[in-house]
Amino acid sequence: MRSKPRIGIVGGGIGGVALAGCLLQRGFEVRLFERAPGFGEIGAGIQMTPNAVKVIKTLGLLDKMLEAGFLPQALAGRNWRTARENFRTPLTDCPTLYDAPFIHIHRADLHAILASVVPESVATFGVSCTGVRQEPNGAVATFDDGSEYEADLIVGADGVRSAVRAALFGPEAPRFTGHMCYRAVVPVGGPVDFVAPEASFWFGPKSHVVTYYVRGGEAVNIVAVAETSEWVEENWNAPSSRDELLNAFQGWHRNVETLFQRVDTVYKWGLFDRDPMTGWSKGRVTLMGDAAHPMLPFLSQGAAMAIEDAYVLAASLDGHGHDVASALRDYERERLPRTSRVQLEARERGRTYHLPSPFAQAKRDFVYWLRGLINPQATGIQANWVYEYDARKFRPGVAAASELAA
């Protein structure tokens, strides 16, 4: 018998490579399957919050992240038209408060850093998963080229349209939330006077814009979300245009307009939502990341939750040896309450960010201001409880933090 279970991972995105890295660090035999022809990641900027950076530290990758990323000074909320500051949550104290910094980084850079600890020899590229089946002592993943892979555990890390999830729980139609998102990365050659060195949240009626630096301050990431009555496809690569972006945010503050005028390439997609699940595992197959708990981006936790999942699943498997059932039990017990809360809280932020009336906005902003006087870490997007979590404290066989507090 092998000293540790053999693990098959379907999906080579951020969650998949993070899991592979965590497992390889613990001496597991790992095989990763990715439909792309090689490691790579599309997309734009991403906010790596301290809860995820703690895991990245354990992989020995923090220095690389700091080299590629940007350390913001604060999270700041502003009025869409006047730029009046409604809240400011300092971020420079994150290493002291949470034992990890808050880093803005390009998604492709983050993926490359995580993939740097995963040898390409453990990856199979250019294959798409078509299903999974249970075996008496394991599970088998099947692929579109006719190949199969048998392992003690198959993990679906294959995103919001997960083939593994569909095989386990059946197809599920996502719910269009009525939100559409524009994304762009604007080269600026270094910090500019119309973009503050922070994560700026511009709140408007039925819309909001987030801007922050990536790539050491050489570029600015734009996330612009607007409500729409028209269905928009769930596709990161649907092309948009500078004019469409400017028209959608007409009348916004001159700093926002100045930045948008510099946009060259912009993409748009619809935001879809799914309710939290009650379980992710069946037999020798489980889910992680967006395959398990797809969430709206309003707390910047999609990739962070996948990275937390990766650490906890690897630690649980390591702690339980060949008892995969117990490992999956502890994995779900630790992660389900956490990710479910983040899913629902992110959904709620979609409401509070987009209040339609000036009166409702003024009431919200007054609460932001008042909370900031009491505790700057608990105002604005109110995510200090997210950042405090430490996956490294997970111990297999010990009740989850939520159960111990109950």
Side-chain angles (χ1 to χ4, degrees), residues 297-376:
F298 303 142
L299 278 174
S300 305
Q301 289 301 304
M305 290 298 105
I307 291 170
E308 289 181 4
D309 287 349
Y311 184 90
V312 171
L313 180 54
S316 194
L317 288 165
D318 198 23
H320 284 288
H322 281 270
D323 187 356
V324 173
S326 293
L328 296 181
R329 177 203 65 208
D330 284 357
Y331 165 60
E332 291 193 357
R333 185 169 63 178
E334 175 69 19
R335 298 301 299 154
L336 270 166
R338 164 83 169 163
T339 58
S340 296
R341 182 182 177 188
V342 174
Q343 279 181 285
L344 296 176
E345 292 272 4
R347 184 185 294 176
E348 173 63 11
R349 296 304 181 279
R351 185 190 68 81
T352 58
Y353 291 179
H354 291 189
L355 296 176
S357 74
F359 174 77
Q361 294 168 25
K363 182 179 178 182
R364 174 200 63 199
D365 296 343
F366 174 75
V367 173
Y368 285 159
W369 173 80
L370 187 61
R371 283 181 173 151
L373 292 179
I374 300 169
N375 180 6

Side-chain angles (χ1 to χ4, degrees), residues 147-162:
S147 64
E148 297 185 343
Y149 183 77
E150 183 173 0
D152 298 291
L153 175 68
I154 298 293
V155 182
D158 49 341
V160 294
R161 299 288 185 181
S162 169

